[in-house]
Amino acid sequence: MTFRRKLLLVFALTIVVAVTAVAWVTLALTRRAFEKSDAERTAASVAQFRREFNRRGDEVVHRVETIAASEGTTRMALALSRGTLDYGAYLNETRTLAESQQLDFLEFVDNQGMIIASAQWPGKFGYKESQSPVSTASTNAFLKQEDLPNGLALGLFAVREVNLGDRPLFVVGGRRLDGNFLSSLDLPAEVRAMFYQNLGTEFSPQFLIESSGPVQHAEEVAPIIQQMQQQRREITTLIHWSSDAADDETVSAIPLNGRDNQLLGVLLIANSRRTYVELRQHIQSVALLSATAGVLLAMLLSGWAAARVTRPVEQLAQAAREVAAGNWNTQVEVTSSDEIGELAESFNQMTVELLAQKEHLVKAERVAAWRELARRLAHELKNPLFPLQLTVENLLRARQQSPEQFEEIFQESSSTLLAEIANLKAIISRFSEFSRMPQPNFQEMQPNEIVQNVARLFQAQIRATDPAAIECKLDLAGAMQPIAADPELLHRALSNLVSNAVDAMPKGGTLTLRTRQDGGMAFIAVSDTGTGLTPDERERLFTPYYTSKDHGTGLGLAIVQSIVSDHGGRINVRSEVGRGTTFVIELPRNLNKLQAQPASGGVSDVTGRSN
């Protein structure tokens, strides 16, 4: 991954993480604020319900007390104490009293629980009340279920006793707890109240009402009602009315018990989550837009940073590659005064110093090479000059001492002089050959063919001398792509390496030739199992005129290195004393160096050999 992409990834991740963290914190704080607001609105709604409940209870108590003190109730109490009470005579009067006091329920009951008159169910007179009015008589209002012709109803009741004789009269009056009661509540915005009359053991949707009437999708409330019937405590839960999250409500259920702690109803305060859901969606949308804008900004910032940072770095990297390729005059443009500019200036200073050191090194190597050349020339020329000197001295001595034998000595000495002169010419020819190395004539060729030709030539020579001494193995890569090279020069370089490998195995061994291709590079390896090289020998191996042989010129491997270098390649050596040596030639494909019309030519057999 490039630095530009890494920079873009870091910027993008930083912005996305920051936006996500801010959005998450904002959502968490918003949720906490809404939960707190829900709790406050629920508490306010419950307080409002209790105030209205107590107000209505006080109102019912007052109206029942007014009926108990009325003239008609007094006559009824006197008649009851005298035993002359006519149960059917007070039916219309009871209904009139209930209407005048705006009571939904009104009954007159004796101390035995016998119903004297009932406004809500006239046919109940003469029947006994299920619960004795004596046990329910108190100063406060209370909840109570009431039997009606069409079923049960829940109301807020009060009981007052009228005692004018031995048999007291009880006035039982009340008002319904229904939608009208809920509509009278002054609830906060986005809050609604629902009421469930617990008139059976199973949940019934028709018993769940609100101020506007029956509740839609009442079955969603069934779990909280059933939990309330079991636990008899306040419960808060989230109810999903539909697939739209904005329709969700946080519902708090408050139990409503009668005088005997019987669960008679459930008050449900529902807080709408629409505002919270819409705000949450808005925050998420803003976060998504911010993240998208942040990523775009990250792309712009990364582009700017890349232009500011990566482009100079890429220029430095390219310049470093040019220096590695041999262009020591490479300089980079300094476009800033910051750290990147300082790095560019340091690089330019480095190349200037490297160039100076290179020139100094070249001069030193040139001097050392001339000294080595002079030493080698002196060594090579001294051997034939000594016999030349002796021969001339013998001729002079023979001419002075025995002229009659001079002719015979002259013939013998002339042969010696000619042989040594020929030796001098051969030495001079070898040095001259190294100085006149030709430039490669690039042609398209297969590396495997060159290796096979060299192996075929040396296998014939090995079989002719000692067939069992050296075994030659070929390990050639299949389907190698062609390269551009000079077949004759490459043949000469490989021949030198193979010849040296054979010389390194005087007692026999294994010669292995390998080829392989990796990308745009072709590799040719020559391995032997000979005596190997010491570290000092490996360092000086390619130095001209250096040799470890008794009768070598030290030019063979120098010629090989020169040929490989002229092809734009490299040669490496791996060796271990006693375990053999491996030379590896790395050659680029060089297809760009092919001529417009490649020269035809084959591979010469043997053009040169290291001694």
mmCIF file of all heavy atoms in Angstrom, residues 234-254:
data_model
loop_
_atom_site.group_PDB
_atom_site.id
_atom_site.type_symbol
_atom_site.label_atom_id
_atom_site.label_comp_id
_atom_site.label_asym_id
_atom_site.label_seq_id
_atom_site.Cartn_x
_atom_site.Cartn_y
_atom_site.Cartn_z
ATOM 1 N N GLU A 234 -45.801 -0.956 39.936
ATOM 2 C CA GLU A 234 -45.661 -0.061 38.784
ATOM 3 C C GLU A 234 -44.636 -0.633 37.799
ATOM 4 O O GLU A 234 -43.559 -1.086 38.187
ATOM 5 C CB GLU A 234 -45.226 1.330 39.252
ATOM 6 C CG GLU A 234 -45.179 2.355 38.136
ATOM 7 C CD GLU A 234 -44.893 3.752 38.647
ATOM 8 O OE1 GLU A 234 -45.191 4.025 39.836
ATOM 9 O OE2 GLU A 234 -44.370 4.565 37.867
ATOM 10 N N ILE A 235 -44.978 -0.598 36.512
ATOM 11 C CA ILE A 235 -44.151 -1.198 35.460
ATOM 12 C C ILE A 235 -43.992 -0.171 34.339
ATOM 13 O O ILE A 235 -44.947 0.519 33.975
ATOM 14 C CB ILE A 235 -44.782 -2.492 34.911
ATOM 15 C CG1 ILE A 235 -44.931 -3.533 36.025
ATOM 16 C CG2 ILE A 235 -43.959 -3.048 33.757
ATOM 17 C CD1 ILE A 235 -45.725 -4.739 35.618
ATOM 18 N N THR A 236 -42.781 -0.101 33.774
ATOM 19 C CA THR A 236 -42.509 0.762 32.621
ATOM 20 C C THR A 236 -41.876 -0.080 31.522
ATOM 21 O O THR A 236 -40.930 -0.843 31.777
ATOM 22 C CB THR A 236 -41.561 1.910 32.999
ATOM 23 O OG1 THR A 236 -42.164 2.693 34.036
ATOM 24 C CG2 THR A 236 -41.295 2.811 31.798
ATOM 25 N N THR A 237 -42.390 0.058 30.310
ATOM 26 C CA THR A 237 -41.868 -0.715 29.186
ATOM 27 C C THR A 237 -42.070 0.059 27.901
ATOM 28 O O THR A 237 -42.791 1.073 27.865
ATOM 29 C CB THR A 237 -42.568 -2.089 29.085
ATOM 30 O OG1 THR A 237 -41.909 -2.880 28.094
ATOM 31 C CG2 THR A 237 -44.026 -1.924 28.700
ATOM 32 N N LEU A 238 -41.405 -0.407 26.845
ATOM 33 C CA LEU A 238 -41.515 0.220 25.527
ATOM 34 C C LEU A 238 -42.453 -0.629 24.677
ATOM 35 O O LEU A 238 -42.279 -1.841 24.557
ATOM 36 C CB LEU A 238 -40.134 0.301 24.865
ATOM 37 C CG LEU A 238 -40.089 0.926 23.461
ATOM 38 C CD1 LEU A 238 -40.481 2.400 23.514
ATOM 39 C CD2 LEU A 238 -38.706 0.771 22.842
ATOM 40 N N ILE A 239 -43.447 0.012 24.088
ATOM 41 C CA ILE A 239 -44.444 -0.686 23.276
ATOM 42 C C ILE A 239 -44.304 -0.218 21.830
ATOM 43 O O ILE A 239 -44.256 0.981 21.547
ATOM 44 C CB ILE A 239 -45.872 -0.423 23.788
ATOM 45 C CG1 ILE A 239 -46.052 -1.060 25.172
ATOM 46 C CG2 ILE A 239 -46.902 -0.979 22.815
ATOM 47 C CD1 ILE A 239 -47.435 -0.918 25.740
ATOM 48 N N HIS A 240 -44.207 -1.211 20.926
ATOM 49 C CA HIS A 240 -44.121 -0.940 19.492
ATOM 50 C C HIS A 240 -45.521 -1.103 18.898
ATOM 51 O O HIS A 240 -46.018 -2.221 18.743
ATOM 52 C CB HIS A 240 -43.141 -1.902 18.823
ATOM 53 C CG HIS A 240 -41.773 -1.911 19.454
ATOM 54 N ND1 HIS A 240 -40.841 -0.926 19.255
ATOM 55 C CD2 HIS A 240 -41.201 -2.807 20.315
ATOM 56 C CE1 HIS A 240 -39.744 -1.203 19.932
ATOM 57 N NE2 HIS A 240 -39.935 -2.342 20.590
ATOM 58 N N TRP A 241 -46.150 0.008 18.564
ATOM 59 C CA TRP A 241 -47.499 -0.045 18.009
ATOM 60 C C TRP A 241 -47.493 -0.439 16.542
ATOM 61 O O TRP A 241 -48.502 -0.969 16.050
ATOM 62 C CB TRP A 241 -48.179 1.317 18.175
ATOM 63 C CG TRP A 241 -48.365 1.722 19.610
ATOM 64 C CD1 TRP A 241 -47.663 2.657 20.286
ATOM 65 C CD2 TRP A 241 -49.314 1.193 20.542
ATOM 66 N NE1 TRP A 241 -48.100 2.767 21.585
ATOM 67 C CE2 TRP A 241 -49.126 1.869 21.775
ATOM 68 C CE3 TRP A 241 -50.303 0.224 20.469
ATOM 69 C CZ2 TRP A 241 -49.882 1.619 22.896
ATOM 70 C CZ3 TRP A 241 -51.070 -0.040 21.586
ATOM 71 C CH2 TRP A 241 -50.862 0.641 22.786
ATOM 72 N N SER A 242 -46.392 -0.177 15.834
ATOM 73 C CA SER A 242 -46.312 -0.506 14.408
ATOM 74 C C SER A 242 -44.846 -0.693 14.051
ATOM 75 O O SER A 242 -43.953 -0.622 14.901
ATOM 76 C CB SER A 242 -46.942 0.609 13.563
ATOM 77 O OG SER A 242 -46.180 1.798 13.642
ATOM 78 N N SER A 243 -44.592 -0.908 12.732
ATOM 79 C CA SER A 243 -43.212 -1.077 12.263
ATOM 80 C C SER A 243 -42.457 0.243 12.242
ATOM 81 O O SER A 243 -41.226 0.244 12.147
ATOM 82 C CB SER A 243 -43.222 -1.684 10.853
ATOM 83 O OG SER A 243 -43.951 -0.868 9.958
ATOM 84 N N ASP A 244 -43.172 1.355 12.337
ATOM 85 C CA ASP A 244 -42.542 2.667 12.362
ATOM 86 C C ASP A 244 -42.086 2.974 13.786
ATOM 87 O O ASP A 244 -42.895 3.028 14.718
ATOM 88 C CB ASP A 244 -43.519 3.730 11.868
ATOM 89 C CG ASP A 244 -42.856 5.099 11.730
ATOM 90 O OD1 ASP A 244 -41.639 5.199 11.976
ATOM 91 O OD2 ASP A 244 -43.568 6.060 11.372
ATOM 92 N N ALA A 245 -40.766 3.169 13.961
ATOM 93 C CA ALA A 245 -40.232 3.423 15.301
ATOM 94 C C ALA A 245 -40.778 4.711 15.893
ATOM 95 O O ALA A 245 -40.791 4.879 17.121
ATOM 96 C CB ALA A 245 -38.705 3.475 15.258
ATOM 97 N N ALA A 246 -41.229 5.644 15.024
ATOM 98 C CA ALA A 246 -41.765 6.911 15.539
ATOM 99 C C ALA A 246 -43.084 6.710 16.281
ATOM 100 O O ALA A 246 -43.508 7.590 17.049
ATOM 101 C CB ALA A 246 -41.951 7.901 14.394
ATOM 102 N N ASP A 247 -43.770 5.579 16.057
ATOM 103 C CA ASP A 247 -45.036 5.302 16.751
ATOM 104 C C ASP A 247 -44.821 4.665 18.118
ATOM 105 O O ASP A 247 -45.786 4.440 18.858
ATOM 106 C CB ASP A 247 -45.914 4.372 15.895
ATOM 107 C CG ASP A 247 -46.380 5.060 14.615
ATOM 108 O OD1 ASP A 247 -46.469 6.303 14.623
ATOM 109 O OD2 ASP A 247 -46.646 4.360 13.625
ATOM 110 N N ASP A 248 -43.572 4.353 18.476
ATOM 111 C CA ASP A 248 -43.300 3.714 19.763
ATOM 112 C C ASP A 248 -43.638 4.668 20.905
ATOM 113 O O ASP A 248 -43.557 5.898 20.776
ATOM 114 C CB ASP A 248 -41.824 3.311 19.858
ATOM 115 C CG ASP A 248 -41.471 2.230 18.858
ATOM 116 O OD1 ASP A 248 -42.389 1.687 18.230
ATOM 117 O OD2 ASP A 248 -40.259 1.950 18.696
ATOM 118 N N GLU A 249 -44.014 4.063 22.030
ATOM 119 C CA GLU A 249 -44.313 4.838 23.234
ATOM 120 C C GLU A 249 -43.710 4.137 24.444
ATOM 121 O O GLU A 249 -43.687 2.901 24.515
ATOM 122 C CB GLU A 249 -45.824 5.004 23.434
ATOM 123 C CG GLU A 249 -46.480 5.936 22.441
ATOM 124 C CD GLU A 249 -47.973 6.095 22.717
ATOM 125 O OE1 GLU A 249 -48.607 5.118 23.150
ATOM 126 O OE2 GLU A 249 -48.496 7.196 22.495
ATOM 127 N N THR A 250 -43.222 4.946 25.381
ATOM 128 C CA THR A 250 -42.798 4.420 26.675
ATOM 129 C C THR A 250 -44.005 4.464 27.598
ATOM 130 O O THR A 250 -44.516 5.541 27.917
ATOM 131 C CB THR A 250 -41.653 5.251 27.252
ATOM 132 O OG1 THR A 250 -40.564 5.259 26.316
ATOM 133 C CG2 THR A 250 -41.171 4.668 28.564
ATOM 134 N N VAL A 251 -44.480 3.291 28.007
ATOM 135 C CA VAL A 251 -45.727 3.175 28.765
ATOM 136 C C VAL A 251 -45.410 2.802 30.208
ATOM 137 O O VAL A 251 -44.693 1.822 30.460
ATOM 138 C CB VAL A 251 -46.668 2.125 28.129
ATOM 139 C CG1 VAL A 251 -47.938 1.982 28.960
ATOM 140 C CG2 VAL A 251 -47.012 2.534 26.705
ATOM 141 N N SER A 252 -45.937 3.603 31.128
ATOM 142 C CA SER A 252 -45.833 3.311 32.559
ATOM 143 C C SER A 252 -47.205 2.901 33.058
ATOM 144 O O SER A 252 -48.198 3.622 32.862
ATOM 145 C CB SER A 252 -45.331 4.544 33.328
ATOM 146 O OG SER A 252 -44.026 4.892 32.907
ATOM 147 N N ALA A 253 -47.270 1.730 33.691
ATOM 148 C CA ALA A 253 -48.535 1.190 34.185
ATOM 149 C C ALA A 253 -48.579 1.339 35.707
ATOM 150 O O ALA A 253 -47.650 0.922 36.408
ATOM 151 C CB ALA A 253 -48.681 -0.278 33.779
ATOM 152 N N ILE A 254 -49.678 1.934 36.223
ATOM 153 C CA ILE A 254 -49.853 2.157 37.668
ATOM 154 C C ILE A 254 -51.095 1.388 38.108
ATOM 155 O O ILE A 254 -52.182 1.566 37.542
ATOM 156 C CB ILE A 254 -50.018 3.657 37.993
ATOM 157 C CG1 ILE A 254 -48.730 4.417 37.619
ATOM 158 C CG2 ILE A 254 -50.334 3.856 39.459
ATOM 159 C CD1 ILE A 254 -48.747 5.027 36.274
#
